[in-house]
Amino acid sequence: MTEILVSHEPATGEELWRRAASDVDAEVEIARRAWPEWASKSVAFRTETMRRFANQVKAEGEKLADLIARETGKPLWEARAEVESVANKVDISVKAYAERTSNRRIEGAMGLRNAVRHKPHGTLAVLGPYNFPAHLPNGHIVPALIAGNSVLFKPSEKTPATGAMLVDLFHAAGVPPEVLRLVVGGPETGKALAGHPDLDGLLFTGSARTGLALNRQFANRPDKILALEMGGNNPIVVWDTPDLRTAATIVVQSAFLSAGQRCSNARRLIVRDSMADQLVAEVRDLTNRLIVDHPHADPVPYMGPVIDNEAADGLTESFLILMSNGGQVIRHMTRPVADRPFLTPGIIDVTAMAERPDIELFGPLLQVIRVDSFEAAIAEANNTAFGLSAALIGGTPQLYDQYWANARAGVINWNRPTNGASSAAPFGGVGLSGNHRPSAFYAADYCAYPVASSESDTLRASIGVGLRDDERDAPKLVRKGFL
Ligand code: NAD
């Protein structure tokens, strides 16, 4: 029997969308067959199609933002910002394609030239997460299509409606329906897609757990491209600053933006012991003022619910585990609405805990760690197998240099939140946060491969050394008067 996928609104529990799971084999065959023709179009043609897509997104922007807000629970203002990022991705990707994977010609002596050109891989799968259900998969899809790949996009089973609308907008803009396929389904569908023999690669954004499973699945397939964008256990270090209020604001933004459901949210506040009490009090006071409510509520909320009750249950359980293992509660994490996944942000001091779990707690939960030296702060920041984002708040240029040089992360910020990343820069992490194929501006790199060609308009060849005389050359030499 065909599996039916149903999407619910986290804030209300109401059903939003339902559709039967896709037939992976049939979808791959369609995309595979469509690829050569799409690849043979000019880059200008594909770029123009993407520009029409950006216009479609702008025209349908409010509808898309409303759907994202309903399906993820994020506030409408944040969903609107996500839609803007989706439209802006086109110009950024066009620029990135030109800068990082455009054609180059290197003129050599005697009419010889060396050319560097890029080719698309073929048919790629994109697996998306639920937290940015349009922007993050779009960050793979647009560069993949510009480069000339056909794409199978499987949105998260928690946000399939947004994925379906995104694909509709591409089709409305003129991307042939066969070139971009929507694949509906959950983890099993993702697994089947990832293991399909006719796929040339997979571009993934999601949890480290799934990323590791995919890495294993691709272990004996070095012929396929695999880009993994995974989670983090991100540190924010606060050091000598007189402006505790602003420092606290940056900490709160880092920890609780998007209800803590950003890969780049700060999970661990590392603070100098001598200023910890004052800073933590500022952070707690500001957190007390955050409005947690429905995405469309008035007054406008800072954050909505987390994605579902299972996620909320897991986070409240994690909070209790930290508490019962020596964590000192600064602010309780509570469930204000029975049966709905709204969470008030939790803050807990885990300095005294002997063994702190190095896991990504993907929600509004901040752990505080006090240290007495800057070296200890750096060591604590690196006390994780992940390495996505890290920030230093306060300090001096010299301390920032020291932090930058020693922190192991793909995004390192100073006096800015951990989640302040520009789409015009690469975005990715080290350790368990990725496999050294950063996305955002560098997504162009994994959507095409370089081909080096040495070329000449005429045939020209000679072997200058190590040859025996050839009698066929003798008459010529006689004619020329050498013999
Ligand atoms: P997830 O790993 O649960 O799911 C991501 C996608 O993988 C979904 O489409 C899912 O159906 C699919 N999937 C799950 N198991 C699979 C399997 N075994 N084989 C193949 N496919 C499978 O991630 P999520 O919970 O939707 O998203 C949140 C996570 O994403 C967090 O860990 C967050 O840090 C991370 N994330 C990372 C970035 C980044 O750029 N580094 C950005 C956003 C989110």
Side-chain angles (χ1 to χ4, degrees):
M1 219 178 68
T2 316
E3 182 202 351
I4 304 287
L5 202 74
V6 184
S7 172
H8 293 97
E9 295 186 30
T12 61
E14 276 168 29
E15 183 178 322
L16 185 68
W17 187 93
R18 66 166 58 216
R19 200 176 286 183
S22 305
D23 176 338
V24 169
D25 288 341
E27 293 300 334
V28 173
E29 199 189 327
I30 294 170
R32 178 104 226 143
R33 221 180 301 135
W35 168 58
E37 197 182 331
W38 180 248
S40 72
K41 303 273 188 213
S42 67
V43 175
F45 175 87
R46 294 195 296 262
T47 299
E48 265 321 296
T49 313
M50 290 304 113
R51 291 202 200 284
R52 283 201 301 275
F53 163 69
N55 290 336
Q56 285 287 331
V57 172
K58 285 176 196 157
E60 299 284 327
E62 267 309 287
K63 207 169 141 198
L64 182 59
D66 179 68
L67 180 60
I68 293 171
R70 280 182 200 288
E71 198 169 38
T72 61
K74 68 175 69 172
L76 189 58
W77 60 264
E78 207 191 331
R80 286 184 176 134
E82 178 167 355
V83 171
E84 211 179 304
S85 306
V86 171
N88 291 345
K89 183 72 202 174
V90 169
D91 275 348
I92 288 168
S93 302
V94 171
K95 195 160 175 266
Y97 183 85
E99 262 183 42
R100 300 198 57 85
T101 50
S102 64
N103 299 340
R104 264 192 320 132
R105 215 163 110 156
I106 306 149
E107 299 295 342
M110 301 202 299
L112 189 73
R113 57 182 184 263
N114 289 297
V116 180
R117 304 185 187 91
H118 290 79
K119 288 193 189 198
H121 295 286
T123 301
L124 299 178
V126 170
L127 297 185
Y130 66 76
N131 62 331
F132 280 90
H135 171 49
L136 290 175
N138 193 60
H140 296 302
I141 295 170
V142 169
L145 289 176
I146 289 177
N149 301 280
S150 62
V151 174
L152 296 125
F153 165 38
K154 193 199 84 57
S156 161
E157 59 281 9
K158 295 173 183 176
T159 52
T162 302
M165 183 168 174
L166 191 69
V167 169
D168 286 347
L169 291 169
F170 276 107
H171 293 165
V175 174
E178 299 79 14
V179 166
L180 173 63
R181 304 300 297 167
L182 175 73
V183 178
V184 175
E188 285 309 313
T189 306
K191 224 183 277 180
L193 190 55
H196 201 286
D198 285 342
L199 212 65
D200 296 294
L202 187 145
L203 316 178
F204 169 79
T205 305
S207 65
R209 201 174 112 166
T210 307
L212 288 173
L214 291 168
N215 200 44
R216 279 193 293 274
Q217 203 173 350
F218 279 70
N220 61 351
R221 297 308 305 256
D223 53 320
K224 300 192 181 204
I225 189 95
L226 176 66
L228 300 174
E229 316 301 333
M230 306 188 277
N233 187 13
N234 310 311
I236 184 164
V237 172
V238 180
W239 214 249
D240 300 338
T241 169
D243 190 357
L244 287 182
R245 205 149 176 209
T246 309
T249 305
I250 296 173
V251 170
V252 168
Q253 284 177 330
S254 298
F256 302 133
L257 192 63
S258 311
Q261 296 174 111
R262 284 191 183 204
C263 55
S264 52
N265 278 121
R267 310 290 171 201
R268 297 174 297 135
L269 165 61
I270 299 161
V271 56
R272 185 172 206 163
D273 209 5
S274 56
M275 61 184 291
D277 286 345
Q278 279 176 299
L279 177 80
V280 168
E282 289 279 359
V283 170
R284 187 195 51 221
D285 291 350
L286 184 56
T287 305
N288 285 342
R289 292 173 50 208
L290 297 180
I291 300 171
V292 182
D293 209 339
H294 286 234
H296 297 80
D298 183 17
V300 171
Y302 183 75
M303 53 189 256
V306 295
I307 192 69
D308 55 23
N309 283 328
E310 199 187 337
D313 291 345
L315 286 156
T316 39
E317 199 183 315
S318 298
F319 194 79
L320 290 175
I321 292 172
L322 293 176
M323 252 173 78
S324 52
N325 283 281
Q328 298 292 311
V329 177
I330 294 160
R331 193 179 192 285
H332 271 286
M333 174 180 259
T334 60
R335 292 278 284 272
V337 185
D339 300 332
R340 301 281 17 106
F342 290 95
L343 288 174
T344 60
I347 308 174
I348 187 160
D349 189 324
V350 294
T351 312
M353 274 181 74
E355 272 184 42
R356 293 189 279 273
D358 180 23
I359 49 173
E360 180 189 46
L361 296 171
F362 203 60
L365 200 173
L366 180 66
Q367 300 163 71
V368 178
I369 302 160
R370 298 160 184 252
V371 289
D372 56 13
S373 71
F374 196 66
E375 287 66 31
I378 291 174
E380 198 53 67
N382 285 336
N383 190 14
T384 171
F386 293 93
L388 191 54
S389 66
L392 170 67
I393 312 303
T396 58
Q398 291 72 26
L399 283 183
Y400 175 56
D401 284 349
Q402 191 183 342
Y403 188 71
W404 194 93
N406 290 285
R408 217 164 20 81
V411 175
I412 303 178
N413 294 343
W414 188 29
N415 291 329
R416 302 286 302 150
T418 50
N419 36 28
S422 160
S423 299
F427 185 86
V430 294
L432 287 185
S433 296
N435 66 340
H436 302 280
R437 295 193 186 282
S439 194
F441 200 74
Y442 283 13
D445 298 28
Y446 55 66
C447 290
Y449 66 93
V451 179
S453 306
S454 175
E455 300 165 348
S456 168
D457 291 334
T458 53
L459 277 74
R460 199 192 300 268
S462 65
I463 297 176
V465 291
L467 289 186
R468 287 196 191 89
D469 288 343
D470 183 340
E471 59 196 28
R472 280 179 298 168
D473 291 338
K476 268 191 269 167
L477 297 174
V478 170
R479 265 204 316 276
K480 286 184 177 170
F482 285 108
L483 296 176

